[in-house]
Amino acid sequence: MKNNKQGMDGEKIYQQRFGRHLDELRWLYMELYDNGSMFAELCDRMERFYTERKDELKSADLERESHKDWYQQKCMLGMMFYIDNFAGNMQGVKARLDYLEKCNVNYIHMMPFLDTPEGRSDGGYAVSDFRKVQEKLGTMEDLEDLTAACHKKGIHVCMDFVMNHTSEDHEWARKARQGEGEYMSRYFFYDSREIPDQYEKTVPQVFPTTAPGNFTWLPDAGHYVMTTFYPYQWDLNYRNPRVFNEMMYNFLYLANRGIDIIRIDAVPYIWKELHTSCRNLKQVHTIVRMMRMISEIVCPGVLLLGEVVMEPKKVVPYFGTVEKPECHMLYNVTTMATTWHTVATRDVRLLKKQLDIVNSLPKEYTFLNYLRCHDDIGWGLDYGTLLEEGMEERSHKQYLNDYFQGYAGASNSRGELYNADPVTGDARFCGTTASMCGIEKARTEHGAVEAEKAGTKHGAVEAEKCGTKHGAGALEKAVRLDIMLHAYMFMQSGIPVLYSGDEVGQVNDYTYKEDPTKAADSRYLHRGKMDWALAENISNYDTVAGKLFQGLSQLEQIRKKEKVFVSNADAWTVETGERAVLCMGRYLDGDKVIGLFNFSEYDKKVILNQVNGKYVDMLSGEERELGEIVIPAYGYYYFKEK
Ligand code: GLC
């Protein structure tokens, strides 16, 4: 093996990393599988993946091992997109890297791009081959070429590792379907309803309306198979060490293509046990901890991002402990949902409480912050606290869904329900940030959409001009809310991730209804094609795209520059006495920043008793005393102490 800059040969480095984790890894593996020869095979393959790993990636591993907080820096800003919607294919993404740089983005999450059957793909979350890129998007070589090009520009690449299930078209599934016992044992097969019925008693449903039940009958095979998500997504059985080993080889194979961040999809679901909810079982943590050790041995520069869309007390254990970490990063999902609750109620109390919970966690825990992603928004709020304020869960969820559809309250939002469950009365919500902030409504009601459709590629500019005075006011207000929400999100500790198109105010895309393979899944409403015509307007401040892009850019520049925005700075909230205004503080090494965010459409005055002294408005550069201060409707301030 080659020498590296530290003068130690690669073999030695590997053995050191391996030695550091061997005892614990063996212990956990044997506890779960009690299978020494499979463990030996795993160790052998790990070393082979290390040997095959490219020198550039190994150097990055060493660099990151010596700066363990490399991803907690203030400059981190992510963007997520579907490759085809964003740029056609992988080569197209490469050609758009300059645009991403303009967006200040240095982390891209490319939505699932591995082989998946057309029309039975769940947005790519049904993988039929973990070693093959979807033909329309490119090849494995294109992927390696793209990750290398990203790395040259300092852009990190995130991909999904869909490990809970495979597509029914996966080779294993096809063999299982034909009755090959070894392959059947990689899934959950039952020849009668007996066991499936027992599971159904305790396992909740993920897609109660679009894919009810947790099992699918396969008439040709004469068996039921467990399908927690869609019927074509077959749950893998991690009781079988062959499944664990093979999936780890896939994981390492993908890491070696130059992936920096691996998003472990639907991770709470990977272990199943009769008479339980089949969520968050302790074996899930054993598996994630093993994954963490395996990646620390083979590719320590790779981060694990856990997708745990659950309440805080279920999310936090996925960080593991400081001594025995599991995921590097998790979604700040409750904060995200609570943010929209705050938009609908103009009452920051619950959000303040939620931020206090997050701020009290160890600083090593890094959250991915976002306003929305490719999935629906589930109303997972702290209903215990809301009940104390007289808000009952079912009726409040109903209110939020009505509000964001634009039916209730002083709402300008547009969007659609997702998986409305007639039995529980539960429903989740879909919409882009711009639509939920009122940009879509402000345009539609003033004929702007028609103008945009009829117009040239600069139609958007015309469209905005053709609005009435009132229309312009509504649009202005919506843009203010949109930027304020980003300003508030950028103040949180962790890594902010934008959904592509949100930076230019892209609205809902209703065309999914015309595609029979998508029509039943309203999440496609907010997964539209990137509208590059909007992006042409980013320098034109007279357009919504320009206002948003420049507003966000100004905040992103501040965030990149000021040290208080590193993830492990002190962060806290301050009581403002005004329900619609949230006050957040950050402190690091003598620098202090205070943020004020007005969640209402009216100007609000606050008196900050706990914050006084001289401050500089970080956006305008003006100096001022804090104390009594008016925050304009849907406005915000970033103040830095002098
Ligand atoms: C995750 C994905 C979601 C997908 C599901 C099943 O929750 O975010 O889009 O439907 O996993 O793979």
Side-chain angles (χ1 to χ4, degrees):
M1 279 181 205
K2 285 191 190 145
N3 283 344
N4 62 56
K5 11 179 198 187
Q6 291 185 351
M8 253 205 284
D9 67 278
E11 175 65 30
K12 231 191 205 152
I13 294 179
Y14 182 82
Q15 290 308 335
Q16 252 180 23
R17 288 177 184 151
F18 186 61
R20 201 178 306 140
H21 291 302
L22 178 60
D23 280 350
E24 192 194 342
L25 186 59
R26 187 196 295 118
W27 178 270
L28 292 181
Y29 193 96
M30 295 309 272
E31 190 183 52
L32 206 57
Y33 297 125
D34 193 19
N35 189 325
S37 63
M38 287 298 286
F39 182 68
E41 182 199 286
L42 174 69
C43 294
D44 178 56
R45 293 292 297 273
M46 278 162 56
E47 185 159 5
R48 274 173 32 206
F49 278 107
Y50 173 76
T51 311
E52 283 160 25
R53 195 161 165 79
K54 285 192 204 127
D55 285 347
E56 301 85 81
L57 300 177
K58 285 184 182 167
S59 308
D61 289 337
L62 284 172
E63 181 67 29
R64 290 174 188 178
E65 266 186 320
S66 59
H67 296 99
K68 288 212 184 313
D69 59 352
W70 65 270
Y71 59 97
Q72 291 160 331
Q73 298 313 307
K74 56 197 191 305
C75 59
M76 289 294 267
L77 176 66
M79 184 176 274
M80 59 188 296
F81 52 78
Y82 277 96
I83 295 172
D84 50 353
N85 286 341
F86 180 68
N89 57 26
M90 286 187 177
Q91 289 178 11
V93 175
K94 193 175 162 195
R96 292 287 188 186
L97 292 183
D98 290 347
Y99 175 74
L100 292 168
E101 278 185 307
K102 241 187 247 169
C103 295
N104 297 307
V105 161
N106 59 358
Y107 156 166
I108 54 171
H109 172 191
M110 296 193 289
M111 298 301 291
F113 52 73
L114 295 175
D115 216 16
T116 184
E118 199 70 49
R120 287 171 293 126
S121 110
D122 185 22
Y125 285 98
V127 177
S128 52
D129 188 341
F130 289 91
R131 312 268 176 122
K132 184 167 180 254
V133 173
Q134 288 168 39
E135 267 163 32
K136 63 173 189 193
L137 303 179
T139 60
M140 273 298 164
E141 289 69 44
D142 289 336
L143 175 64
E144 288 192 57
D145 186 47
L146 176 58
T147 57
C150 286
H151 294 158
K152 276 205 190 100
K153 288 184 176 289
I155 298 175
H156 310 290
V157 183
C158 170
M159 77 172 285
D160 285 86
F161 185 53
V162 186
M163 69 181 292
N164 177 68
H165 42 261
T166 72
S167 151
E168 63 177 341
D169 280 20
H170 190 280
E171 188 195 348
W172 300 352
R174 280 194 269 117
K175 289 186 171 159
R177 191 169 215 148
Q178 283 156 14
E180 285 193 40
E182 201 278 309
Y183 289 93
M184 287 168 86
S185 73
R186 298 184 188 197
Y187 299 94
F188 296 87
F189 270 76
Y190 302 101
D191 57 9
S192 81
R193 275 294 325 169
E194 195 193 329
I195 296 178
D197 282 344
Q198 286 184 45
Y199 271 111
E200 294 291 10
K201 284 189 190 141
T202 53
V203 183
Q205 305 202 29
V206 182
F207 299 142
T209 54
T210 48
N214 288 289
F215 291 86
T216 299
W217 171 246
L218 307 172
D220 48 338
H223 274 81
Y224 290 92
V225 65
M226 186 186 277
T227 53
T228 303
F229 293 85
Y230 281 112
Y232 50 76
Q233 290 165 314
W234 293 10
D235 289 72
L236 284 169
N237 185 354
Y238 279 89
R239 264 172 216 278
N240 182 343
R242 177 55 58 208
V243 168
F244 176 79
N245 280 26
E246 294 295 333
M247 289 305 281
M248 289 307 101
Y249 308 154
N250 287 332
F251 167 82
L252 294 173
Y253 170 84
L254 294 166
N256 277 358
R257 308 281 75 73
I259 302 299
D260 303 279
I261 301 147
I262 298 220
R263 175 185 182 273
I264 329 176
D265 181 60
V267 62
Y269 302 79
I270 61 176
W271 193 270
K272 309 332 192 248
E273 194 93 55
L274 259 184
H275 314 302
T276 72
S277 66
C278 295
R279 312 278 196 266
N280 308 302
L281 301 180
K282 73 176 195 305
Q283 292 84 348
V284 173
H285 291 280
T286 305
I287 290 176
V288 180
R289 175 68 190 141
M290 288 200 287
M291 277 179 89
R292 173 72 179 247
M293 287 190 281
I294 291 168
S295 77
E296 283 189 3
I297 294 169
V298 181
C299 49
V302 172
L303 297 181
L304 300 183
L305 162 62
E307 192 226 357
V308 186
V309 179
M310 299 194 169
E311 64 200 270
K313 71 170 188 293
K314 292 188 177 138
V315 172
V316 170
Y318 286 87
F319 282 119
T321 60
V322 175
E323 298 75 38
K324 293 186 174 173
E326 295 177 23
C327 294
H328 296 83
M329 211 161 44
L330 294 167
Y331 286 83
N332 204 346
V333 56
T334 304
T335 301
M336 184 276 291
T338 310
T339 301
W340 292 108
H341 151 91
T342 312
V343 170
T345 58
R346 280 77 160 165
D347 183 341
V348 302
R349 284 177 298 172
L350 191 70
L351 184 56
K352 184 177 180 306
K353 187 169 177 187
Q354 165 62 17
L355 292 170
D356 290 344
I357 294 174
V358 176
N359 289 336
S360 68
L361 296 171
K363 291 194 175 122
E364 291 80 6
Y365 294 178
T366 306
F367 280 103
L368 186 155
N369 296 311
Y370 60 123
L371 292 173
R372 63 98 164 190
C373 65
H374 67 296
D375 279 331
D376 49 291
I377 301 175
W379 299 116
L381 306 173
D382 171 1
Y383 289 102
T385 298
L386 286 178
L387 198 58
E388 287 163 23
E389 289 157 18
M391 279 177 248
E392 187 270 325
E393 177 167 345
R394 188 162 174 163
S395 55
H396 188 55
K397 276 186 183 160
Q398 172 87 44
Y399 172 73
L400 292 172
N401 283 324
D402 286 349
Y403 180 90
F404 286 107
Q405 288 177 93
Y407 303 154
S411 169
N412 295 310
S413 170
R414 287 289 178 271
E416 293 180 346
L417 297 187
Y418 178 70
N419 267 280
D421 185 342
V423 181
T424 60
D426 216 13
R428 287 119 76 175
F429 191 79
C430 296
T432 71
T433 306
S435 288
M436 291 178 75
C437 285
I439 291 175
E440 182 182 330
K441 180 184 172 199
R443 282 187 175 152
T444 327
E445 288 191 350
H446 303 282
V449 165
E450 278 58 46
E452 265 178 5
K453 272 194 201 141
T456 60
K457 60 182 170 184
H458 298 293
V461 182
E462 309 310 320
E464 276 147 31
K465 282 195 195 137
C466 84
T468 60
K469 212 166 164 200
H470 172 67
L475 204 52
E476 181 79 32
K477 201 158 82 173
V479 170
R480 290 177 66 87
L481 171 59
D482 196 325
I483 299 179
M484 184 278 288
L485 290 178
H486 283 91
Y488 137 80
M489 178 185 50
F490 291 156
M491 269 290 268
Q492 293 170 39
S493 294
I495 303 180
V497 175
L498 308 173
Y499 194 98
S500 155
D502 278 7
E503 79 284 9
V504 288
Q506 205 162 313
V507 297
N508 293 336
D509 171 20
Y510 296 88
T511 61
Y512 79 95
K513 292 178 198 286
E514 293 147 27
D515 179 343
T517 65
K518 294 181 176 158
D521 193 332
S522 52
R523 292 177 297 176
Y524 287 101
L525 181 70
H526 55 231
R527 297 174 179 174
K529 253 192 172 9
M530 170 73 185
D531 183 349
W532 288 103
L534 289 178
E536 281 182 24
N537 290 326
I538 56 179
S539 331
N540 183 350
Y541 198 73
D542 290 338
T543 65
V544 167
K547 282 196 183 78
L548 265 172
F549 192 90
Q550 292 174 37
L552 263 50
S553 194
Q554 199 180 9
L555 293 161
E556 288 152 5
Q557 299 294 351
I558 293 176
R559 198 168 181 279
K560 246 200 255 185
K561 201 174 88 209
E562 300 286 338
K563 66 180 180 207
V564 286
F565 289 100
V566 299
S567 198
N568 58 5
D570 289 338
W572 67 94
T573 64
V574 180
E575 181 53 58
T576 65
E578 164 54 63
R579 284 203 180 164
V581 179
L582 177 74
C583 179
M584 296 161 87
R586 299 189 67 79
Y587 176 87
L588 188 85
D589 290 344
D591 275 10
K592 180 168 156 192
V593 167
I594 295 291
L596 286 161
F597 309 94
N598 182 352
F599 279 79
S600 100
E601 62 273 64
Y602 300 104
D603 296 356
K604 293 283 175 186
K605 182 162 79 185
V606 298
I607 301 168
L608 296 173
N609 294 321
Q610 301 168 39
V611 188
N612 37 41
K614 280 204 166 39
Y615 281 80
V616 182
D617 179 330
M618 296 168 88
L619 288 121
S620 69
E622 251 167 64
E623 275 184 36
R624 60 167 300 161
E625 297 265 345
L626 290 193
E628 189 176 302
I629 173 162
V630 175
I631 305 115
Y634 288 143
Y636 65 91
Y637 284 115
Y638 276 11
F639 289 117
K640 184 174 178 186
E641 195 177 39
K642 276 210 58 155

